Amino acid sequence: MAEHACVDLKPVEAILSRYPREEPSLIQVLQDVQRAYNYLPCDVLTRVAGELRVPLAKVFSVATFYKAFSLNPQGRTIIKVCTGTACHIRGAQQLIEEVERRLGIKPGGTTEDMAFTLQTVNCVGACAMAPVVIVGEKYVGAAKATTLAAHLARGE
Ligand code: FES
């Protein structure tokens, strides 16, 4: 697992101070850690395990079970290309190739400057807008390579 040598523990200390130091706090703490760091750094998980008195193996099993959590550093903007049936039929693969070509990353990859991570996702429930790409928080419907390029350029 790629890991930064020094992870600032101040954000996790602030998060832990908001919750009871017990196992039922685990998922909420991990959600806040994911939001604060954009992933779940190994050092931070060790700290969480110690403070909540939860075995580290259990923390990792929760961290790997939920798709919302990532154990690897992620880009500041996550690009999710829907590859569900409706989006697939309407050109999702070409959109993936466009992102790959522009950013030089494959699905699951992150640009070196940590600006973008590319992911593929199953149907996001917006088939009428297919093909759908989610850039950060923004849903881009009827996505085309050209409009996608504009969103990537703005980093939104
Ligand atoms: S298949 Fe893409 S939103 Fe449903």
Side-chain angles (χ1 to χ4, degrees):
M1 179 192 323
E3 189 60 49
H4 292 301
C6 299
V7 175
D8 181 5
L9 292 176
K10 279 198 212 89
V12 69
E13 301 300 351
I15 290 165
L16 285 165
S17 72
R18 297 200 292 266
Y19 294 97
R21 306 284 168 114
E22 56 192 27
E23 184 166 340
S25 304
L26 179 59
I27 290 185
Q28 282 176 305
V29 168
L30 293 183
Q31 283 173 333
D32 287 2
V33 168
Q34 174 75 40
R35 213 170 292 127
Y37 291 86
N38 226 4
Y39 78 114
L40 303 178
C42 193
D43 292 349
V44 171
L45 292 184
T46 305
R47 184 59 152 245
V48 168
E51 290 295 323
L52 300 186
R53 283 179 237 105
V54 180
L56 190 55
K58 167 109 195 235
V59 174
F60 270 98
S61 83
V62 171
T64 51
F65 181 78
Y66 293 98
K67 261 196 134 184
F69 298 138
S70 171
L71 291 173
N72 295 313
Q74 306 229 284
R76 290 182 293 283
T77 300
I78 298 179
I79 303 159
K80 296 177 181 158
V81 181
C82 177
T83 55
T85 305
C87 291
H88 176 74
I89 289 169
R90 296 198 193 157
Q93 186 55 37
Q94 286 93 310
L95 295 172
I96 292 170
E97 286 164 14
E98 177 68 11
V99 177
E100 287 178 349
R101 196 174 60 75
R102 287 193 174 268
L103 300 180
I105 51 174
K106 297 276 180 200
T110 298
T111 55
E112 269 182 30
D113 63 1
M114 303 302 291
F116 295 102
T117 292
L118 173 61
Q119 296 177 349
T120 58
V121 291
N122 295 325
C123 179
V124 293
C127 306
M129 295 163 58
V132 177
V133 178
I134 306 168
V135 182
E137 304 282 311
K138 188 176 184 132
Y139 278 63
V140 181
K144 294 187 181 66
T146 46
T147 50
L148 196 51
H151 285 284
L152 297 182
R154 290 198 296 271
E156 59 180 27

